[in-house]
Amino acid sequence: MRALIVEDEPQVAAFIAKELQAHGLVPDVAVDGLQGMEKAATGHYDIILLDWMLPKRNGIDVCRAIRVKDPHVPILMLTALDGVEEQVKGLGAGADDYLAKPFDVGVLVARVNALLRRASGRGTGKLLVCADLVLDNEAKRVERAGQEIRLTAREFALLHYLLERKGKVTHRSDILDHVWDTSFETESNVVDVYINMLRRKVDKPFGRPLIHTVTGMGYIIRDDAP
């Protein structure tokens, strides 16, 4: 598996590359935002580790550019900006996870492995269906009414989990445990942000909502058509 590290601090990039290599990944390094965009556009990577504060193009711009080309590659954003607003902005740009600097190497490796595991779809069913919405886990493809819907890796994982529990209310904490494989602050609204992003892609263009909010409890995906 190949990993792209977009990091302008040579010592940090070398440290991350060494750790990833020790865990079986083949790392490639880009030293600024433009180089990161070029490498992501021309190479095939299984995961991208992206610093926020980069020369030439910041991590948010790079993340958005990568998502235009590849909506599924897992992106882990690394940054010293660890406020909730920054996390929401990074995730909203298309990142699948967010790790604040300085970080423990064990946590970094765990996050990388979790993202790779989610992207591989291990232990999950092939087809999940709700009304005219179809998720093909093997092909990593989502369609509704015959139209393909392009999702990021994290959006895909969230939709997959909701579809696995079709007709059942799923609490935010359960979504964090199963989709993020990590603990966020209890006041974090990352789940709500991603639910809204899913709704814009899966529900809004088709005129009939499948993703519903159960006030004070969580979310449910179901077909309410008579």
Side-chain angles (χ1 to χ4, degrees):
M1 288 187 169
R2 297 182 64 207
L4 175 61
I5 304 164
V6 189
E7 170 62 65
D8 63 316
E9 297 183 37
Q11 290 184 333
V12 175
F15 169 73
I16 295 173
K18 181 180 178 181
E19 291 300 326
L20 295 185
Q21 195 167 24
H23 287 81
L25 281 81
V26 179
D28 194 4
V29 177
V31 298
D32 59 54
L34 282 179
Q35 190 179 70
M37 291 167 62
E38 292 169 358
K39 285 182 177 290
T42 57
H44 174 75
Y45 296 98
D46 298 284
I47 189 167
I48 296 174
L49 292 85
L50 176 63
D51 188 30
W52 180 314
M53 302 177 70
L54 293 165
K56 298 186 179 179
R57 285 291 182 89
N58 64 46
I60 295 296
D61 291 341
V62 175
C63 188
R64 288 174 177 151
I66 292 171
R67 280 290 172 246
V68 172
K69 174 183 178 291
D70 189 341
H72 299 303
V73 62
I75 298 176
L76 173 59
M77 186 160 280
L78 308 173
T79 177
L81 304 173
D82 61 351
V84 172
E85 290 185 8
E86 286 79 11
Q87 292 186 37
V88 171
K89 186 175 181 180
L91 295 169
D96 297 289
D97 204 351
Y98 190 106
L99 185 59
K101 296 179 179 178
F103 48 78
D104 180 84
V105 64
V107 174
L108 173 69
V109 172
R111 296 284 184 93
V112 168
N113 287 336
L115 288 174
L116 290 172
R117 185 168 63 251
R118 290 296 176 189
S120 72
R122 295 174 187 170
T124 55
K126 182 178 178 181
L127 287 180
L128 294 171
V129 180
C130 181
D132 55 354
L133 175 67
V134 180
L135 181 149
D136 186 333
N137 188 60
E138 189 172 279
K140 292 295 181 285
R141 181 182 177 91
V142 175
E143 291 184 356
R144 185 165 183 189
Q147 298 180 34
E148 182 178 4
I149 301 172
R150 295 172 65 85
L151 302 179
T152 67
R154 186 69 69 182
E155 290 168 346
F156 186 93
L158 174 56
L159 181 61
H160 188 283
Y161 184 55
L162 292 174
L163 284 169
E164 280 188 313
R165 296 178 49 79
K166 182 176 69 173
K168 300 177 182 178
V169 177
T170 305
H171 195 274
R172 289 174 180 82
S173 61
D174 292 326
I175 293 174
L176 285 173
D177 287 342
H178 287 82
V179 177
W180 272 264
D181 283 340
T182 188
S183 298
F184 278 74
E185 296 295 330
T186 54
E187 67 270 16
S188 172
N189 64 345
V190 62
V191 172
D192 307 273
V193 170
Y194 266 83
I195 288 289
N196 288 333
M197 290 162 63
L198 263 187
R199 281 173 166 157
R200 286 198 295 269
K201 295 181 179 182
V202 171
D203 281 346
K204 189 175 181 181
F206 300 93
R208 177 159 61 96
L210 299 177
I211 302 170
H212 304 272
T213 301
V214 182
T215 304
M217 298 179 67
Y219 298 99
I220 185 172
I221 189 165
R222 64 174 184 245
D223 182 9
D224 283 346

